[in-house]
Every structure is written in structure tokens, then in C-alpha cells.
Amino acid sequence: MEEVTYGLIENGSIKRKDNRYILSRKASDIQVPETIQGIIAARMDRLEDNLKRTMQVASVIGRDFAFRILQLITGMREELKSHLLNLQGLELIYEKSLFPELEYIFKHALIQEVSYNSLLLKKRKEIHKKIGRAIEQIYSERLEEFYEMLAYHCCEGEDWEKSLEYLAKAGDKFTAAYANQEALDYYAKALNVSGKLDKAALAKSVELAKKRGMVNSLIGEFKGAIDDFNKMRTAARSMKDRHLEGLALAYRGWAEHQNHRVQAAEDTLKSALNMAEEGFEDVRFFANSTLGALCLIYNRHSEATPFLMEAEKLAPRVDEPFISGWWNVFGSLWPYWEGRYDDALRHYDKRRSGIKRGGMDFLMNCWVQSLPEGGRGKYEQAIALLEDVISIGKRMGDDWWLARGLNTMGWLYGELQDHRQAMEWNTQGLEVSLKANFAIPEVENNARLNLADNLLALNRLEEAEDQFKKVEQVARNPRPLDQFMLWRYSQHLFHSYGELWFARGDPDKALSYADECLALAQKSNSQKNIVKGCRLRAQVFLVQGKLTKAEQVISMALKLAQRIGNPPQLWKSYALL
């Protein structure tokens, strides 16, 4: 209604008289455009040419526009201020701010839109290019603030080389700020632009596809990451760069492994290993470390060893942060799972200096370091590390690592025998896992087992059994995806569920569960769980009056507990003597 009124005033159809508006011609002679856009266009057509041109150029900058940019691309000085003052008087634009610099804004988004669309396409492109150059010149000392604006104007101006540069920089900027969806969008646009350029842009395409794949991995979108690493490989093949192609295969195999596509990951990683034979040590290192991790996770320990040994040999010669960070994780988990806590920390300490604070590498490595620190009783250090994991996991929106951090904090407080505090952490971990609805149940089941241990320690046996039963249903009837780390948390299940049966006065059932725990623990050399299984067996033998047998088993458990140095296993074994 407001724009209609302005239009009628400006074309002389109505006039002001005695504080009211009256018709200055017959109503039948008045023509009003059918749309609001038409009304605005008609108002613009009645403007002086210099005012109309000023509006048009400003509209290309955006609904908000800085005086300095407009001044630089129009080449006008004092007359520009006069034009803007006139446009303000017509209530087409307003002054938005004086500080930190003079800015204006179109009164309505539709005014800016109509003004923009009134320009020929060729002219719009020319102005967009000028705006990009003006921003580079005016804001050269703080250009990072304007990457998104530069990317937009360079794309609209079809300045493809500059577009590629600023789209990539905007993607990097959002990645650093954990604005993951924005980063993905800018990297996708950059990849699209790189396709418009000649072969010189292929190396940039490789880099962008890799970066986008890592962002997708960060938020657990591994299917998207696999697609990105395929694009990385396609660009590398177009370059005829065998090294980058092998690296793309290794990254894709890693993403397939993270996406629980076990056979596809194994096939891809072995293809990467074949290509690595051409002398690409980083490819061989990454493929070996990931294959070793895959075999460990799926209870193929004898197969894992040669891959892990080869990765250990190659590690000092590879300097790529993410690949080294990944190895730091599994190179430490390998001895940790065997109860070799000092070896796990020595492995971590070798590569500590290369890990930058913040981001997925740091998050993963904090979590991994917390495990052997907690295992050997350095609880303050472990808790401080997990506080970082939880804080960063929340900030990044990474539920996978957040849930792990919460569960592990619960485990530590359980080790300290503060079971009420432990329950709070474990309950939070379980809630995050259930809400995230992970494809595999491993994180959820670890939370349930920790929670059941707390309930068992508080003599809430029925509630503890509810949790044990849920996990046992998975352990006894696993689907293919359930195999992920099943060998590890099943040991926990069988020992703890056995303790519950022992507490209920059923030593035979307790012994059966202890034996199942020991069978898995001995196969994987999981020394802490061997101690736990042996100790439960000794408890059963004591109540059965088999004192000699009990003494032999507990002596074995104590000797092993002394070797690994885990405080709860030590004092519980001594207490049984």
C-alpha cells in the first residue's frame, strides 16, 4: 500500500491538500500496475538517470551496501552523497550505520530486487566483478571477513579463478569455526567451479574433495565422505597422478571402514596397498594402519599384527597430520587393549607434538590418551583429557565422540568407586547414544555395561540385570554390524554378568560366564579381562571349597594384575587373598 501511494504521488494522480490526499484526475484515468514489482519499477522509471544508475549499482552490492564500495565502483565523489540523500528523501533507501563505516540499506528487499533485475545480465556481471576488486582493495587487511561476499560476487561475475579461490577460503574459514554445513556448501560450490576451469584446476579439485570428505567424516556423514573421496580419485586420475590416486583410495577405504562397509573397505585398502608399491610411503602407511584397525575391531587379531607392525615401521617417515593422528589412535589402542598401558602412552608421546588443539585429531587423541592414563590410575590426568573431549564434542556437534567421552568419564568414576557420580555420566552417554541412533550398538552397549556395573555395586541387582540382558541379546545374536568391537565389550558383559550371578548365590552360572570372559580375553591377550575372569573363577572355587584351585587361580590373577598396574584389579585381587 505504501509503494502504491508513493507511486500515485509521484505520477501526479493524487496530491496533498489540507493535510489529506485528494485525486487530481479522474479515477478511471489512473493506471496502477498489477504487481508491487511493477509499481516499484514504475517509480524507478520516473527517477533521474543518475539516481536510477546509483540505485542499480547499489543493488548489485546487496540489500545492505557500504558507501566506500559504491564510491569506488562508480567513481563518484560528492555527487554520490547527493544522489544517496535524494534516494533517502524518496524513502527508497535508509542510512543504516555511520560506524565503523557509512552503510545504507534498501527500504524493502523488493526494491533492491527490482532494481537489480532492471540491469541487463552483461552489465550485472561487469558490476559484480568490479565489486569483487573493490572489496579486495578496500578491505585488504581484513579480507577473511569478506570471503563469502567475495565468493558470491566473483561467481556472479563469472570470474571463475577468483571464485574458486574465495569459495575454497570460505570453506576453510567455516571448517575452522566448526560450521560444518556451511563448509560443505562452499566446498561443493568450489568443486563445481573447478569443473569450469581447465586442467590447471585439477590439483585444486583433489584438495577440495579431500577437505570436503574430511568435513563429512567429522559429522559422521561417511557416505558423503566416500563420494567426496571418489571425486578426489577421479581428479587425481585426470591428472595422471598415481600418488594422489593411491591416497584417495586410502581415504576412501578409511571412510568405508568408518561407515562399517567392511568388505568394501578391505578391498579398497588392498587396492591402495598395491598402488603404494610404486613408492608411496604415506599411502602404504595409511592403508596398513586402517587395515590393522579393521582387523582388530572385528576380532581378527592375528591378521591385524602384520599390518600394524608395518604401520609402526613407516610412521616416523610420514608427516601428514590426519593420517598420523589416526595412527596415534590405533597405535595406542592396540597396546591399551592388551593392558600394556605404558606402551600405549609411549606410542602417544612420540607423536604428541604434531597434534594441534581443537578439531577431530585432537578430540580423538585426547580420548585415546585418557584410556591408558585411567588404566594405570592417573585419574586426574584422564579426567582433564575427557573434559576436553566432552567440550569439543559438544561444540563440534560430534555425538560419536561425545558419547564416548561421557561413557569413559563414567568408567573412570566407577574405577574410583564413586558409583553415583559414575551413573550420572553413563546415563548421559546412553542418552546421547540413543538419540543419535548409531548404526552400530557398541557405544550404547558400553554405556549400558558401565551403568550396570554401577547398579551392581549399589546392590540394585534387578536394574543391573535389565542392562545386562539388553547387551547379552546383541552378544548372543549379533547382526553383521553388531560385530564392531563385540569381542571387547562381550568380555566386560560376561565378567560383570557373572559377578551378578555370584552375588545372587549361583556360583555355577557365575563360573560359566567367567569362562566365556576368559575364552575371549585369552584369544585377544586382553590382560585386564584375564585378571577379572580369573578372579571371578577363584571366588567361585572358594565358595565351592576348592581352596587349592582357588589359590592357584588368584595367584595367577595377582601376578598379571601387578604386571599391568591397574589399581582396582590390584586391590580386588589382594582383597581376595
Side-chain angles (χ1 to χ4, degrees), residues 390-402:
I390 292 165
S391 172
I392 295 170
K394 286 178 179 177
R395 189 166 75 246
M396 291 170 59
D398 191 326
D399 288 338
W400 178 262
W401 289 103
L402 172 59

Side-chain angles (χ1 to χ4, degrees), residues 517-535:
C517 170
L518 276 171
L520 286 170
Q522 288 168 339
K523 179 184 176 183
S524 56
N525 195 31
S526 302
Q527 295 182 73
K528 188 173 87 168
N529 288 329
I530 293 173
V531 172
K532 291 163 77 174
C534 285
R535 193 172 59 246

Side-chain angles (χ1 to χ4, degrees), residues 210-414:
K210 176 184 168 186
K211 286 180 176 179
R212 193 170 193 276
M214 294 312 299
V215 175
N216 263 318
S217 300
L218 175 66
I219 60 175
E221 291 292 338
F222 293 109
K223 186 177 184 297
I226 292 164
D227 291 340
D228 291 326
F229 294 134
N230 277 330
K231 288 174 185 174
M232 177 184 173
R233 184 188 182 199
T234 298
R237 292 180 82 172
S238 297
M239 292 173 66
K240 296 182 170 54
D241 190 317
R242 298 279 289 172
H243 172 233
L244 288 176
E245 185 182 351
L247 205 53
L249 278 172
Y251 273 102
R252 189 184 85 187
W254 173 83
E256 287 167 340
H257 162 56
Q258 295 295 317
N259 202 37
H260 316 300
R261 293 171 53 186
V262 180
Q263 191 58 56
E266 198 164 349
D267 292 343
T268 300
L269 291 165
K270 286 179 178 176
S271 295
L273 279 181
N274 289 336
M275 200 166 283
E277 294 303 316
E278 297 175 32
F280 311 133
E281 288 193 334
D282 53 351
V283 177
R284 193 158 83 249
F285 172 52
F286 195 15
N288 270 295
S289 61
T290 307
L291 278 166
L294 183 151
C295 290
L296 275 183
I297 284 168
Y298 289 98
N299 202 23
R300 294 157 53 184
H301 294 267
S302 60
E303 293 177 66
T305 301
F307 292 126
L308 295 170
M309 295 296 289
E310 180 68 9
E312 181 70 40
K313 183 176 72 175
L314 292 165
R317 306 205 288 269
V318 177
D319 196 28
E320 205 282 332
F322 176 77
I323 297 175
S324 295
W326 168 247
W327 169 242
N328 220 27
V329 169
F330 263 92
S332 297
L333 284 175
W334 180 25
Y336 167 75
W337 285 333
E338 293 187 351
R340 296 184 286 117
Y341 304 133
D342 289 339
D343 287 348
L345 287 167
R346 272 193 293 271
H347 174 93
Y348 179 83
D349 287 341
K350 287 180 192 174
R351 296 159 184 85
R352 178 197 301 267
S353 59
I355 302 167
K356 294 181 181 178
R357 185 173 184 83
M360 186 161 63
D361 294 354
F362 180 75
L363 186 152
M364 289 191 302
N365 280 275
C366 281
W367 178 73
V368 166
Q369 187 188 356
S370 75
L371 299 175
E373 292 285 20
R376 66 177 185 167
K378 303 293 183 181
Y379 296 117
E380 288 185 6
Q381 293 94 316
I383 287 170
L385 288 161
L386 289 171
E387 286 171 348
D388 275 338
V389 173
I390 292 165
S391 172
I392 295 170
K394 286 178 179 177
R395 189 166 75 246
M396 291 170 59
D398 191 326
D399 288 338
W400 178 262
W401 289 103
L402 172 59
R404 286 192 180 282
L406 293 166
N407 293 352
T408 309
M409 191 73 90
W411 163 69
L412 285 176
Y413 277 96

Side-chain angles (χ1 to χ4, degrees), residues 341 374-377 379 411 415 528 561 564-571:
Y341 304 133
R376 66 177 185 167
Y379 296 117
W411 163 69
E415 291 268 293
K528 188 173 87 168
I564 64 174
N566 176 248
Q569 302 317 313
L570 277 167
W571 69 258

Side-chain angles (χ1 to χ4, degrees), residues 74-240:
T74 59
M76 292 189 283
R77 299 286 180 180
E78 291 304 315
E79 65 268 35
L80 178 59
K81 292 181 181 179
S82 174
H83 299 335
L84 292 170
L85 194 61
N86 285 332
L87 290 170
Q88 284 180 267
L90 294 167
E91 296 197 40
L92 291 165
I93 66 169
Y94 291 145
E95 191 178 278
K96 183 183 178 185
S97 65
L98 284 169
F99 183 83
E101 65 175 305
L102 180 57
E103 288 187 325
Y104 295 86
I105 183 172
F106 282 91
K107 183 177 180 181
H108 298 299
L110 272 176
I111 296 175
Q112 185 251 340
E113 179 186 306
V114 171
S115 185
Y116 183 82
N117 289 331
S118 69
L119 285 164
L120 294 173
L121 181 60
K122 182 179 178 183
K123 187 65 176 175
R124 288 206 301 256
K125 289 179 183 177
E126 290 173 3
I127 297 171
H128 277 298
K129 283 184 181 179
K130 287 181 180 179
I131 293 167
R133 295 191 199 105
I135 293 169
E136 288 180 318
Q137 182 178 331
I138 294 169
Y139 306 108
S140 59
E141 293 185 359
R142 53 190 183 99
L143 210 56
E144 184 178 353
E145 297 173 31
F146 297 88
Y147 286 160
E148 305 95 289
M149 187 184 292
L150 281 161
Y152 167 72
H153 287 296
C154 291
C155 284
E156 292 300 313
E158 296 186 0
D159 185 347
W160 299 127
E161 288 186 2
K162 288 281 189 182
S163 298
L164 182 58
E165 176 187 352
Y166 289 117
L167 286 166
K169 285 181 174 179
D172 293 345
K173 174 181 167 181
F174 283 116
T175 297
Y178 306 119
N180 300 315
Q181 190 54 57
E182 289 87 348
L184 289 172
D185 291 343
Y186 275 99
Y187 286 143
K189 289 174 185 175
L191 280 166
N192 184 53
V193 167
S194 69
K196 299 177 184 292
L197 297 170
D198 58 23
K199 290 185 178 180
L202 285 171
K204 193 68 176 177
S205 295
V206 169
E207 177 190 337
L208 287 164
K210 176 184 168 186
K211 286 180 176 179
R212 193 170 193 276
M214 294 312 299
V215 175
N216 263 318
S217 300
L218 175 66
I219 60 175
E221 291 292 338
F222 293 109
K223 186 177 184 297
I226 292 164
D227 291 340
D228 291 326
F229 294 134
N230 277 330
K231 288 174 185 174
M232 177 184 173
R233 184 188 182 199
T234 298
R237 292 180 82 172
S238 297
M239 292 173 66
K240 296 182 170 54

